[in-house]
Each structure stands twice: as structure tokens, then as C-alpha cells.
Amino acid sequence: MTDIPVPGAPQPEEAQIYDRGYRTFEGERTGVPGAIRTLVVHSMRTALGLGRSAKHKVVPVLIILIAYIPAIIFIGLAALLPGEELEETLIPSFPEFYSGTIVAIYLFAGFVAPSLLCTDRRTGMLGVYLSSPLDRVTYLLGKAIAVFIVLLLVIFGPPLLLLIALTLEGSGPDSLGAWIETFGKIFLGSIVMGTFFAAIGLAVAAATDRIVVATATVLAIIPASAIAVGLLVDENDLSPSLRLLSLPTLPRELIFRIHGESDGPWSITANPTWTLWAGWGAWMIVAIGFIWFSYRRLLVRR
Amino acid sequence: MSLVTASGLVKRYGSYTALNGVDFEISGGITGLLGANGAGKTTVLGMIIGLHRADDGALRVLGQDPWSAGAAVRERLGYSPEHHTLPPDVKASDFVRHIAELHGMPKEEANTRSSDALWLVGLGEERFRPMGTMSTGQRQRVKLAQAIAHDPQLILLDEPTDGLDPVQRDAMLELIKNVSTEFGIDVILSSHLLDEVEAICDGVVIIGEGVTLASGALDELRGTGATAVVMDIDGGDPEVEAVRAALANRGMVVSVLGRRLTVEGDDEAVFDVARDACVDAGVGISRLSRRRLSLEDVFLERLG
């Protein structure tokens, strides 16, 4: 509150605020875009435990550490190893690099979306949000953006760090054009994987109010889908198209294809790249459709 | 100007009809939304906020349809929910600022106003405490602060005294009154407690079994059905008896409680008869007025 100097009033060090009053607001409001923006920022802070006690920071900090440790190790190897050949042998390509960070990505997918969606429904905060300029669509959009950005911390951050470090160390792409191309592929791959796991996490979180149940479900269905697909396709010789149902490997295989590499987790070419994009799109449509269906029929009392 | 106007409002959930032709008009000041559990208060509040769409009828909030113009309407509304489960690890100031930003306050403005709002509700010194460490009374104040921080035109308070002890309750009611009279923010107070509505509200909407039982200015409602004149007289039992006898001689039906006589009938002639009876008995009058119904009387009468 502003202190207005008054002639004859006490000196500043003696001044006291004795009436803060209530002020009307005549300025321009930020509207729905502003509401989405603040929801995104607030949700990201919640997911990362910022502005909260230390115990809320433990899980996100640990997961982020797990995600960045491989990049730090490879950067160290690149700096210490003498020859280019040895570097090329030991340091993985960018698509291969995800093998070291995928656990962190799964963990974040399992923790972030449930903590942001389930809590609001369970505590009634959803009603508070929907009494603001947000509606169900813009609320879900804000939450989805927040989950996606937080996931990018562990999907896009580590390979970007590796790219920058290798570039500075002299082992990166040869030219500016190659560097931009590599950056673009890493970015596109991160968007593919980030949107995919954000959608899966949010869809599961839309089905229950309980964070623990949602987290456990996300962490269970990701490997379970891979195991089931492995049994069906590899052991029972069913159609390779069933691989599109494998949650962990579909986006990783797509990243290999984005980088033009053919030795991805499926190690086969039975699935043309367009079918992978179609599979990714189908998963996204199903997940988003389920989220919308869940929230559309959700009766928000107050 | 009417803040909220409902006409023929119908809302069904499957085969259950929550509202079955509700009509009311809410003007400025503090309006109590009254009704027993399951009466339809929750549904009405939800429709004002724009959470539910009417199956039939029309609803205007601040001159607009809250369903089709939801964001524009909600930007100018404040809402304090009934539940107490605010995020426990979030500081009160962060929470209030966040809600203010959601309602369109620029960041710096939201920051200042959240602090101001918490001071205004008496939580200035506590504003940096996590809400999970606060008492029920303090959390109720935080909810009020977040409802007013963004300078709304109208706030909806859902059971704002729930869980408060009598002292805290009176203080909260005083705060709500200040919000309306000093800050110029109109209030809709949803409650099932008649006495608190009666204590601070200017108007009331009573809903029962999905229909409007009564609505209007509180004074008018309490005046409606006033079928007697109340008279307090100066003096002791002999004077009281003298006036009673004089009234009875004039054919009036009188009941006595202490020094108060209640004379049945509410037309102007009853006042004249009462005055003349006191003159005949040589007794002074300290009060002569129509009998005022309490809100409870109105509520019970309308419930049938």
C-alpha cells in the first residue's frame, strides 16, 4: 500500500500504515489467456514442489537428477577420452541416449499428471478453478501444458545439455546447419515423447481422484503394455502392427525414425514410419478423448 | 439494477429434478440464499457460476448468460467454497494471489491485492503461513480474502461460517457486512442458518424442493403476514391488566407477555383502538408497531 506524504506528518521512520483500505481495480484484466498462463505456472510450481516444504521437492529433484546423470557422465567421458573413435563407440547417439533417461521419464509421467489433476478433484479446488474465467477445456489445456513442460525438463533437457556440451567440447555436429538439424530433431522428438506421456498420464489421472492409484497405474501400464506386446508379437508371431500398442517403445521408435536411424527398440522395418505416426496420433486421440469424456460428464458440485 | 435474475429455471440430473421453475431477482447488498439440504441451493450457485446449464428457463448474472458468457461473468465474480480442503502446503498469500491472477489481475497487482485482502480479513500477520497450519476460522478468512482480492462485483459465499465458534462466527458475519457496506461488493450468502442470514442480509431467496418459496427484501418478507400489532406499555401488572381490559371491551383479541400486549389485526384501525385503550387506562406506550415475523416464521410459513 502506498504511503502518501502529508505535511507535518511523522518522519518516515516513524510512519505507520494504519488503514490499508480496499481499492477497486480499474485496469485491464488479462482474461482467459492470463488465467491459463497463471494456471500453467502454478501447476508447474506444484509439480516441482516450488514454494512448498522440502518434502515436496524430494521426488522431483531425484527424478531430475536421474534424468541428467547419464548426460553428465557422457559429457565427462567426451571430455576425458582421447580419441574420436573411442568417443563414438562409448557415447550414444541422441535417440540411443533415451535408454539412460527413460526411467526418469516414466517416473515423471507417473507422478506429475496425477499430482496436478487428482488433487484438484479430490480437494474441491476444481470448483474454485471453474468459478474463475477458466472452463473445463481451458482448465485441462492449462494442466496439459504444465505437465508437458515439466516432462520436457527430463525429455528435452538432458539431450540438449549433451548437445551443447559436445558442441563446446568439439565433438558435436560439424556445421551450424547440422547443429540446427540435430537440435530440431531433438526438439521434435521431445515434443512427440512429451505429448505422448503427458496424454497417457493425464488420461489415467482423469479416471481416479486418488494420486497413488493413478501413479501406480501409469507406472504399471507402461511396462505392462511392452511385455504384453512382446508376448503377442515375438512369442506368438502375431501382427507386428500390435507393437503400436507398446507404450514405452512407440515414442522411442518414433524418435529413432525422426533421427533417421533404423536400429530402434523394434529393430525391424515391418512397421513403416507412417504407421508409427498413425499409432502415435491414435493414442493421442484416445487419451485426449477419454480425458474430455471424463471431465465433460464430471459433476462439479462446488 | 438486478445482479441475478432467474425465471422459470429448471435443472434436471437424469430423472431427478433439482430445480423445477425457480424465479427470483437479486439486487445489491447482501442476499441470503436459504434452503434445507437438498433444496437446490447448490444447483443455483453452480448455475450462477456457470457450472451447470439450465434445462429450461433463463438466468442472467450481471446482465449476461453465465453459461454462454461464462468467462466474462466469472471474471467479475468471487467465490468462496464450502469445503475446507485448501491446498495445505501453499501459503495463504500465494493462494490468494493465484486466484486473483486467475480472475485477470496482472501479476504485480495480484501480489499487492492478495496482501491487502489478507490484511482486510485480519490475516495480515499470518499471510505467509501454509494454509494447512491454520485454524478453521483462519481458513474461512483466507477463502473470503481470495473471493474479494480481484475486486469482483459480486461474491458467492457458501456456508462461510461453517465450523466456526460463536465468537468467530460473529466476527465473520461482521466482515461479510463490511465487504458489502464498505468495499461495495454485493454478496450472495448461501446458508442453512436462518439467524445469520437474518443478522446481515438485506434480501433473501428461500428455495425448497426445487421451487422458490419466497424472495425479496428481508423487511418486506418479514412484514408480509404480520397480522397483529405489538404494544409495549409503561407500568406494571395493574397497568397491563387495565389496557388488556380496555382492549377486550372494544372487542379486540389480546394476548399478554410481560409488559407486551399483542393485538390481533393489522389494519390502521387497530392502532387507533390500541391508542385509545391506553388513553382510557391512563397508561403510557413505549412501543406500538406491527408484529415483525422472524425469518424463521417466514421460512416455516412458506414451507407450509
Side-chain angles (χ1 to χ4, degrees), chain B residues 31 81 85 91 168 199 202 222 228 262 264 279 291:
Chain B
T31 302
T85 47
K91 292 171 193 151
Q168 291 174 325
D202 308 302
R222 288 190 302 194
T262 304
E264 296 301 320
V279 171
R291 180 173 62 186

PDB file of all heavy atoms in Angstrom, chain B residues 31 81 85 91 168 199 202 222 228 262 264 279 291:
ATOM      1  N   THR B  31     -27.531 -10.792   0.015  1.00  0.00           N
ATOM      2  CA  THR B  31     -28.734 -11.617  -0.171  1.00  0.00           C
ATOM      3  C   THR B  31     -28.462 -13.018   0.349  1.00  0.00           C
ATOM      4  O   THR B  31     -27.458 -13.637  -0.014  1.00  0.00           O
ATOM      5  CB  THR B  31     -29.113 -11.683  -1.665  1.00  0.00           C
ATOM      6  OG1 THR B  31     -29.320 -10.357  -2.147  1.00  0.00           O
ATOM      7  CG2 THR B  31     -30.380 -12.505  -1.859  1.00  0.00           C
ATOM      8  N   PRO B  81     -15.749 -21.330  -1.555  1.00  0.00           N
ATOM      9  CA  PRO B  81     -16.394 -22.649  -1.477  1.00  0.00           C
ATOM     10  C   PRO B  81     -16.680 -23.059  -0.043  1.00  0.00           C
ATOM     11  O   PRO B  81     -16.127 -22.504   0.910  1.00  0.00           O
ATOM     12  CB  PRO B  81     -15.365 -23.571  -2.119  1.00  0.00           C
ATOM     13  CG  PRO B  81     -14.056 -22.907  -1.859  1.00  0.00           C
ATOM     14  CD  PRO B  81     -14.326 -21.436  -1.864  1.00  0.00           C
ATOM     15  N   THR B  85     -10.826 -27.912   2.381  1.00  0.00           N
ATOM     16  CA  THR B  85      -9.602 -28.601   1.981  1.00  0.00           C
ATOM     17  C   THR B  85      -8.800 -27.763   0.989  1.00  0.00           C
ATOM     18  O   THR B  85      -8.599 -28.151  -0.147  1.00  0.00           O
ATOM     19  CB  THR B  85      -9.940 -29.969   1.367  1.00  0.00           C
ATOM     20  OG1 THR B  85     -10.998 -29.773   0.422  1.00  0.00           O
ATOM     21  CG2 THR B  85     -10.346 -30.960   2.415  1.00  0.00           C
ATOM     22  N   LYS B  91       1.143 -21.308   0.864  1.00  0.00           N
ATOM     23  CA  LYS B  91       0.992 -20.146   1.746  1.00  0.00           C
ATOM     24  C   LYS B  91      -0.266 -19.383   1.357  1.00  0.00           C
ATOM     25  O   LYS B  91      -0.607 -19.302   0.164  1.00  0.00           O
ATOM     26  CB  LYS B  91       2.197 -19.228   1.595  1.00  0.00           C
ATOM     27  CG  LYS B  91       3.486 -19.817   2.121  1.00  0.00           C
ATOM     28  CD  LYS B  91       4.660 -18.935   1.740  1.00  0.00           C
ATOM     29  CE  LYS B  91       5.964 -19.668   1.980  1.00  0.00           C
ATOM     30  NZ  LYS B  91       7.019 -19.247   1.083  1.00  0.00           N
ATOM     31  N   GLN B 168     -16.050 -16.430  16.557  1.00  0.00           N
ATOM     32  CA  GLN B 168     -15.519 -16.361  15.187  1.00  0.00           C
ATOM     33  C   GLN B 168     -16.651 -16.111  14.186  1.00  0.00           C
ATOM     34  O   GLN B 168     -16.476 -15.386  13.203  1.00  0.00           O
ATOM     35  CB  GLN B 168     -14.832 -17.684  14.829  1.00  0.00           C
ATOM     36  CG  GLN B 168     -13.542 -17.947  15.586  1.00  0.00           C
ATOM     37  CD  GLN B 168     -13.002 -19.330  15.279  1.00  0.00           C
ATOM     38  OE1 GLN B 168     -13.756 -20.276  15.084  1.00  0.00           O
ATOM     39  NE2 GLN B 168     -11.688 -19.457  15.246  1.00  0.00           N
ATOM     40  N   ALA B 199     -29.339 -11.758  10.419  1.00  0.00           N
ATOM     41  CA  ALA B 199     -28.481 -10.756  11.065  1.00  0.00           C
ATOM     42  C   ALA B 199     -27.864  -9.785  10.079  1.00  0.00           C
ATOM     43  O   ALA B 199     -27.698  -8.611  10.393  1.00  0.00           O
ATOM     44  CB  ALA B 199     -27.383 -11.472  11.850  1.00  0.00           C
ATOM     45  N   ASP B 202     -29.809  -8.196   3.442  1.00  0.00           N
ATOM     46  CA  ASP B 202     -30.819  -7.218   3.047  1.00  0.00           C
ATOM     47  C   ASP B 202     -31.978  -7.911   2.339  1.00  0.00           C
ATOM     48  O   ASP B 202     -33.100  -7.448   2.393  1.00  0.00           O
ATOM     49  CB  ASP B 202     -30.206  -6.192   2.086  1.00  0.00           C
ATOM     50  CG  ASP B 202     -28.943  -5.586   2.661  1.00  0.00           C
ATOM     51  OD1 ASP B 202     -29.027  -5.012   3.756  1.00  0.00           O
ATOM     52  OD2 ASP B 202     -27.867  -5.706   2.036  1.00  0.00           O
ATOM     53  N   ARG B 222     -40.607 -10.110   6.071  1.00  0.00           N
ATOM     54  CA  ARG B 222     -40.989 -10.218   7.487  1.00  0.00           C
ATOM     55  C   ARG B 222     -42.256  -9.431   7.775  1.00  0.00           C
ATOM     56  O   ARG B 222     -43.010  -9.747   8.672  1.00  0.00           O
ATOM     57  CB  ARG B 222     -39.844  -9.753   8.383  1.00  0.00           C
ATOM     58  CG  ARG B 222     -38.714 -10.764   8.390  1.00  0.00           C
ATOM     59  CD  ARG B 222     -37.699 -10.445   9.433  1.00  0.00           C
ATOM     60  NE  ARG B 222     -37.121  -9.119   9.270  1.00  0.00           N
ATOM     61  CZ  ARG B 222     -36.028  -8.713   9.888  1.00  0.00           C
ATOM     62  NH1 ARG B 222     -35.400  -9.527  10.699  1.00  0.00           N
ATOM     63  NH2 ARG B 222     -35.554  -7.515   9.698  1.00  0.00           N
ATOM     64  N   ALA B 228     -50.727  -8.708  13.345  1.00  0.00           N
ATOM     65  CA  ALA B 228     -51.001  -8.215  14.694  1.00  0.00           C
ATOM     66  C   ALA B 228     -50.211  -6.945  14.962  1.00  0.00           C
ATOM     67  O   ALA B 228     -49.256  -6.637  14.253  1.00  0.00           O
ATOM     68  CB  ALA B 228     -50.641  -9.282  15.722  1.00  0.00           C
ATOM     69  N   THR B 262     -50.133  -8.138  22.545  1.00  0.00           N
ATOM     70  CA  THR B 262     -50.267  -8.352  21.105  1.00  0.00           C
ATOM     71  C   THR B 262     -51.741  -8.339  20.749  1.00  0.00           C
ATOM     72  O   THR B 262     -52.524  -9.132  21.278  1.00  0.00           O
ATOM     73  CB  THR B 262     -49.622  -9.702  20.699  1.00  0.00           C
ATOM     74  OG1 THR B 262     -48.265  -9.712  21.138  1.00  0.00           O
ATOM     75  CG2 THR B 262     -49.686  -9.902  19.192  1.00  0.00           C
ATOM     76  N   GLU B 264     -54.529  -8.726  17.873  1.00  0.00           N
ATOM     77  CA  GLU B 264     -54.719  -9.321  16.548  1.00  0.00           C
ATOM     78  C   GLU B 264     -55.345  -8.311  15.591  1.00  0.00           C
ATOM     79  O   GLU B 264     -56.177  -7.486  15.982  1.00  0.00           O
ATOM     80  CB  GLU B 264     -55.620 -10.559  16.655  1.00  0.00           C
ATOM     81  CG  GLU B 264     -55.024 -11.694  17.487  1.00  0.00           C
ATOM     82  CD  GLU B 264     -53.689 -12.196  16.944  1.00  0.00           C
ATOM     83  OE1 GLU B 264     -53.546 -12.305  15.704  1.00  0.00           O
ATOM     84  OE2 GLU B 264     -52.775 -12.476  17.746  1.00  0.00           O
ATOM     85  N   VAL B 279     -55.167   5.425  26.423  1.00  0.00           N
ATOM     86  CA  VAL B 279     -55.616   6.730  26.932  1.00  0.00           C
ATOM     87  C   VAL B 279     -56.676   6.510  28.014  1.00  0.00           C
ATOM     88  O   VAL B 279     -56.630   7.113  29.087  1.00  0.00           O
ATOM     89  CB  VAL B 279     -56.183   7.589  25.780  1.00  0.00           C
ATOM     90  CG1 VAL B 279     -56.864   8.844  26.327  1.00  0.00           C
ATOM     91  CG2 VAL B 279     -55.062   7.974  24.815  1.00  0.00           C
ATOM     92  N   ARG B 291     -46.477  -6.400  14.331  1.00  0.00           N
ATOM     93  CA  ARG B 291     -45.633  -7.526  14.759  1.00  0.00           C
ATOM     94  C   ARG B 291     -44.726  -7.937  13.598  1.00  0.00           C
ATOM     95  O   ARG B 291     -45.188  -8.080  12.469  1.00  0.00           O
ATOM     96  CB  ARG B 291     -46.510  -8.719  15.141  1.00  0.00           C
ATOM     97  CG  ARG B 291     -45.686  -9.918  15.596  1.00  0.00           C
ATOM     98  CD  ARG B 291     -46.552 -11.016  16.123  1.00  0.00           C
ATOM     99  NE  ARG B 291     -47.450 -11.533  15.093  1.00  0.00           N
ATOM    100  CZ  ARG B 291     -48.406 -12.423  15.325  1.00  0.00           C
ATOM    101  NH1 ARG B 291     -48.613 -12.867  16.554  1.00  0.00           N
ATOM    102  NH2 ARG B 291     -49.180 -12.854  14.353  1.00  0.00           N
TER     103      ARG B 291
END
